[in-house]
Structure formats: structure tokens, C-alpha cells
Amino acid sequence: DIQMTQSPSSLSASVGDRVTITCQASQDISNYLNWYQQKPGKAPKLLIYDASNLETGVPSRFSGSGSGTDFTFTISSLQPEDIATYYCQQYDNLPPKLTFGGGTKVEIK
Amino acid sequence: EVQLVESGGGLVKPGGSLRLSCAASGFTFSSYSMNWVRQAPGKGLEWVSSISSSSSYIYYADSVKGRFTISRDNAKNSLYLQMNSLRAEDTAVYYCASPEEVVTALRTWGQGTLVTVSS
């Protein structure tokens, strides 16, 4: 099974800061890597799919990059409404299975 | 508006059974695979099961294989999860989710339904 290692598990940053979260796969997953935002008590929300594609309606301060085993999620300028937990997720098609990273809790300093 | 609404959660004793439902609206339900994802209290997300659009292909996480059964009724725009032999570690919020056209990601999620397994 493919393992996903997401880091850091939590971070604290100031409004306006650039925030970066990484996700590493245990084997090559091409660009089958997605990023979600989850606020307390709410369902996850898809932000980035296939490593770098911004979901419709998601602010452009969110971005993703990477391929193979190493991926990065960036918030270019942290806003108060971005306080949430962020998850990466990989898609394995043999057999079809989704695996989530452990999550990164983002807080305001 | 695309919407998924789960129901059927509740308190059940270890070894018991529960059936979750997910009602879909606002999109062509019969065209897309569907998934169940769960989240234990204070923990991360765990994929549970998926079913193809025509129910031809069904997959489960190892943690629920042999105990849970996913199914769908395209005529009723509904997804189901039959959960048997429940354990304390199955306690979680259960979400139904659809990839729609994205395929590899889950674009639309329900609000979740809480399942608590406790004596």
C-alpha cells in the first residue's frame, strides 16, 4: 500500500505569511495528489486536484505543485478564514483506493 | 445545487448493525462512482469504500472488508453502507462523497452522520 507522509502536523503563522505544507508518497503516484481544507465541524472541501489544478471558486492564493513522490501545497498570503486542517490525498487505481495524509492544522500566530 | 445528505447514524452496541443512507441531488448520480469516508473523533480522514456508477466494481478498506457492504440505487439517487459486526473503532463521522468529473479526488461531500459504537 502507498503511504502518505504529510508535514508539518501543525503550524502557526501570521496573517499575510506564506504557508507551505508538504506531502510525500512512498512510491511514484504521478500527479494523483489532491488537497482538501476542513474547518471544525464541517466536511472537507476540495481545493486542488491532480497536484496543481485549482478547483473552481477557490481563491488563487492557494496553489499546489509536484509530481512523482513529492508534493507541495502553498497559501501565498495567509488569511484569517484559512484557519483549518489541510489534508493531502492520493489516488491509487490498482485497485482503486484513496489514502489521506495525516493532516496539517494551520493556526494564526 | 449539488447536494449529498447522509442519514442513519446513531448509537449502537459492539457487534451490532447499522445502515447509512446518502441522498444525492443536483447532479447525474448514475454517472459517477461514489465513496464513503470516515473520520474518528479528533482524527484524520479514512477512506472506507467505493462503488462504480453501475455497481460493477466495489472496493473496501482492509479495516472494514467482510463487515461493511456498499450499495446504490440509481433510480432513487441513493447510496448505502450496511455496517455489521460493529466495533468501538468504527466510531466516526461517516461522509458520502462523489468525485464527479474529477475522478481521482472527491469534489462533493455530504455533511456527515455520526456513528457511535459503545455499550
Side-chain angles (χ1 to χ4, degrees):
Chain A
D1 286 3
I2 298 174
Q3 307 300 318
M4 304 302 296
T5 303
Q6 185 175 342
S7 62
S9 57
S10 66
L11 66 88
S12 181
S14 300
V15 172
D17 281 355
R18 184 181 186 87
V19 169
T20 299
I21 299 168
T22 64
C23 202
Q24 185 172 58
S26 58
Q27 60 186 268
D28 190 335
I29 59 170
S30 184
N31 67 333
Y32 294 154
L33 194 285
N34 310 301
W35 293 95
Y36 299 83
Q37 175 192 68
Q38 187 180 32
K39 296 184 177 181
K42 300 294 187 182
K45 175 185 176 183
L46 178 64
L47 300 180
I48 304 286
Y49 64 94
D50 294 345
S52 60
N53 294 293
L54 190 67
E55 177 71 335
T56 302
V58 173
S60 58
R61 65 180 179 273
F62 297 100
S63 65
S65 64
S67 66
T69 61
D70 295 298
F71 300 87
T72 300
F73 172 80
T74 301
I75 306 173
S76 60
S77 177
L78 186 67
Q79 300 301 303
E81 60 266 32
D82 300 336
I83 300 314
T85 299
Y86 294 84
Y87 293 92
C88 63
Q89 170 252 311
Q90 71 88 15
Y91 175 82
D92 190 351
N93 62 357
L94 291 172
K97 178 181 178 180
L98 283 65
T99 304
F100 292 90
T104 297
K105 186 174 183 179
V106 175
E107 298 176 320
I108 294 286
K109 191 180 294 182
Chain B
E1 179 194 6
V2 176
Q3 195 171 18
L4 297 171
V5 179
E6 301 94 337
S7 60
L11 175 63
V12 60
K13 290 181 168 53
S17 298
L18 210 55
R19 188 195 196 208
L20 305 183
S21 299
C22 171
S25 60
F27 67 108
T28 308
F29 178 78
S30 59
S31 295
Y32 302 107
S33 65
M34 292 294 296
N35 293 259
W36 288 99
V37 175
R38 69 183 181 182
Q39 186 170 36
K43 302 297 184 182
L45 300 166
E46 180 189 16
W47 171 79
V48 172
S49 181
S50 67
I51 184 169
S52 63
S53 58
S54 62
S55 303
S56 298
Y57 302 99
I58 287 174
Y59 305 95
Y60 298 100
D62 289 343
S63 58
V64 306
K65 201 173 294 183
R67 300 187 298 123
F68 289 12
T69 302
I70 191 172
S71 62
R72 66 189 295 162
D73 185 336
N74 287 343
K76 295 182 178 180
N77 287 346
S78 292
L79 174 73
Y80 306 101
L81 186 67
Q82 177 66 44
M83 303 185 295
N84 298 331
S85 303
L86 283 162
R87 307 166 178 167
E89 54 265 36
D90 295 319
T91 294
V93 173
Y94 285 74
Y95 296 99
C96 64
S98 170
E100 298 182 45
E101 299 89 353
V102 180
V103 180
T104 65
L106 298 175
R107 167 169 279 166
T108 302
W109 296 67
Q111 84 288 352
T113 188
L114 176 62
V115 173
T116 303
V117 184
S118 175
S119 55

